[in-house]
Amino acid sequence: MMEISLDEIESSNFEKKSALSRKLSTKSEVMPLKDLYYEIDDKPPWYLSLLLGFQHYITMAGSTVATPVILGPLLCMAPDDPNKANLISTIMFVSGAATLLQSTFGTRLPIIQGGSFSFIVVAIAILSQPEFKCPTNLDKITDEKEREEIWQIRIREIQGAIIVASLLEVFIGLFGIVGKILKYITPMAVAPAITMIGLSLFKKSAEYSSRNWYIAILTILLIVVFSQYCMNVKLPIPFTKDLTTGKLIRYPVFQVFPVLLGMGVAWLICYIMTVTNVFEPGNRSRTDVNLKIISNTLWFRFPYPCKSIIEFLQNLN
């Protein structure tokens, strides 16, 4: 019988694994990812980049706008208070500025620096304290300055808490504490924490969806159908021509713009229901329900840091 040493067996296994690895690597280089129309190194045309960027904005706008919308009632702001639009415009402005800095000078990840839902849970806990309960006669207060001071007192408290939390994050990131913590905090510990944050906000999302479950479910179904079942459908693009065939260029619109199309179709249905008065006046699904906020809000406004804190110090003088 022929004796085979352990070293020969390990060497043979290593050669087989190396050959398989080279084969898979070559195969992955030859076969492109079919699920991606644009891969990481591809550069879409500028006009498509504008639409893709707008879709990305629409996708993140829901979660970013949700922050002031959720905190608005806790800040004792009326549903049609123009200052709610100021909060939304401020968070969008800061989000855009942070995204430009991150994508230009930072880690350059293809993400938008939006508001974090992690702070919402803490903000709700702070605003639920007895000293921050909304006055019982809030509806009877007509003086604009007095109403403004009511919600600004609360937002200053939230700003202070966020500033302290941000300084702590800077300290942890600057001294590399995150890398040391990751040795003990595994994905098994992070995943449940993120899940619990999402579950804690489910009540609010369900509350807003319950205003019209039909429209909410329709929007979800449209996005799923467009992204999963119509991804291979290519539509002809008007005013374009393929130089080789002379026919209109076909483009996978549903694969590239599922969110934009889903939300656009749902909004169009709501608009038709509003114009035809299928949705009665006062229905939260009407497209004209918050026109007062638009008419009473400034078209251009530059938010500067710590605005409410500066105004508070000015009032003390």
Side-chain angles (χ1 to χ4, degrees):
M1 295 180 65
M2 183 180 296
E3 294 183 358
I4 302 177
S5 65
L6 182 61
D7 293 338
E8 291 177 351
I9 295 176
E10 291 180 351
S11 176
S12 176
N13 290 337
F14 177 78
E15 291 178 357
K16 289 180 180 179
K17 290 180 180 179
S18 300
L20 179 61
S21 176
R22 288 193 298 270
K23 184 177 179 180
L24 292 174
S25 176
T26 305
K27 186 176 180 181
S28 64
E29 293 175 359
V30 175
M31 296 180 63
L33 296 173
K34 295 183 179 180
D35 292 338
L36 296 177
Y37 192 80
Y38 291 112
E39 298 182 15
I40 293 178
D41 295 329
D42 295 337
K43 294 182 178 180
W46 66 268
Y47 48 88
L48 287 179
S49 297
L50 291 177
L51 290 175
L52 290 171
F54 182 67
Q55 177 180 241
H56 201 162
Y57 163 79
I58 292 294
T59 305
M60 58 76 61
S63 59
T64 303
V65 171
T67 303
V69 170
I70 291 173
L71 295 180
L74 296 173
L75 292 171
C76 307
M77 300 179 70
D80 56 351
D81 192 334
N83 287 302
K84 185 181 292 186
N86 292 337
L87 291 180
I88 294 174
S89 62
T90 299
I91 192 172
M92 296 299 292
F93 179 88
V94 175
S95 176
T99 301
L100 287 175
L101 291 174
Q102 185 274 137
S103 58
T104 305
F105 304 104
T107 54
R108 303 186 67 183
L109 295 174
I111 58 175
I112 290 182
Q113 301 294 120
S116 175
F117 274 18
S118 304
F119 293 102
I120 295 181
V121 180
V122 181
I124 293 175
I126 293 174
L127 295 175
S128 298
Q129 298 298 315
E131 59 267 29
F132 295 119
K133 292 290 184 181
C134 295
T136 55
N137 61 338
L138 183 62
D139 297 334
K140 299 179 181 179
I141 300 175
T142 57
D143 184 56
E144 186 177 346
K145 287 292 183 181
E146 187 176 354
R147 289 186 66 93
E148 235 179 63
E149 184 61 23
I150 290 175
W151 68 264
Q152 285 190 359
I153 291 175
R154 290 156 178 78
I155 203 170
R156 284 195 289 266
E157 192 76 18
I158 299 300
Q159 284 179 338
I162 292 176
I163 290 173
V164 174
S166 301
L167 292 176
L168 181 61
E169 288 186 351
V170 170
F171 176 81
I172 292 175
L174 183 63
F175 293 96
I177 301 177
V178 176
K180 299 177 181 179
I181 294 177
L182 287 178
K183 295 180 181 179
Y184 307 98
I185 301 179
T186 63
M188 290 299 294
V190 176
I194 296 175
T195 303
M196 293 305 296
I197 293 174
L199 289 176
S200 64
L201 298 172
F202 179 79
K203 181 179 178 181
K204 282 292 181 183
S205 60
E207 178 183 336
Y208 289 112
S209 298
S210 63
R211 294 172 179 176
N212 196 318
W213 281 111
Y214 298 107
I215 298 299
I217 295 174
L218 174 65
T219 306
I220 296 173
L221 289 178
L222 285 173
I223 295 175
V224 171
V225 170
F226 289 158
S227 63
Q228 301 301 317
Y229 299 99
C230 299
M231 60 184 302
N232 295 323
V233 177
K234 296 184 178 181
L235 300 180
I237 308 299
F239 310 110
T240 61
K241 182 182 291 187
D242 192 335
L243 296 179
T244 57
T245 62
K247 298 180 180 180
L248 293 177
I249 297 176
R250 291 182 171 271
Y251 192 78
V253 179
F254 297 108
Q255 180 184 1
V256 180
F257 303 108
V259 178
L260 189 62
L261 289 173
M263 296 182 67
V265 171
W267 183 90
L268 181 61
I269 292 174
C270 290
Y271 175 75
I272 295 173
M273 296 291 189
T274 301
V275 173
T276 56
N277 285 326
V278 175
F279 291 149
E280 298 178 355
N283 191 313
R284 300 296 297 179
S285 299
R286 290 178 64 94
T287 55
D288 59 355
V289 69
N290 287 326
L291 287 181
K292 185 178 179 181
I293 296 180
I294 299 176
S295 60
N296 294 338
T297 304
L298 298 175
W299 281 98
F300 298 98
R301 174 179 171 272
F302 186 83
Y304 54 88
C306 305
K307 177 178 181 294
S308 58
I309 297 177
I310 294 174
E311 289 180 351
F312 173 73
L313 295 177
Q314 289 175 347
N315 292 331
L316 289 180
N317 296 331

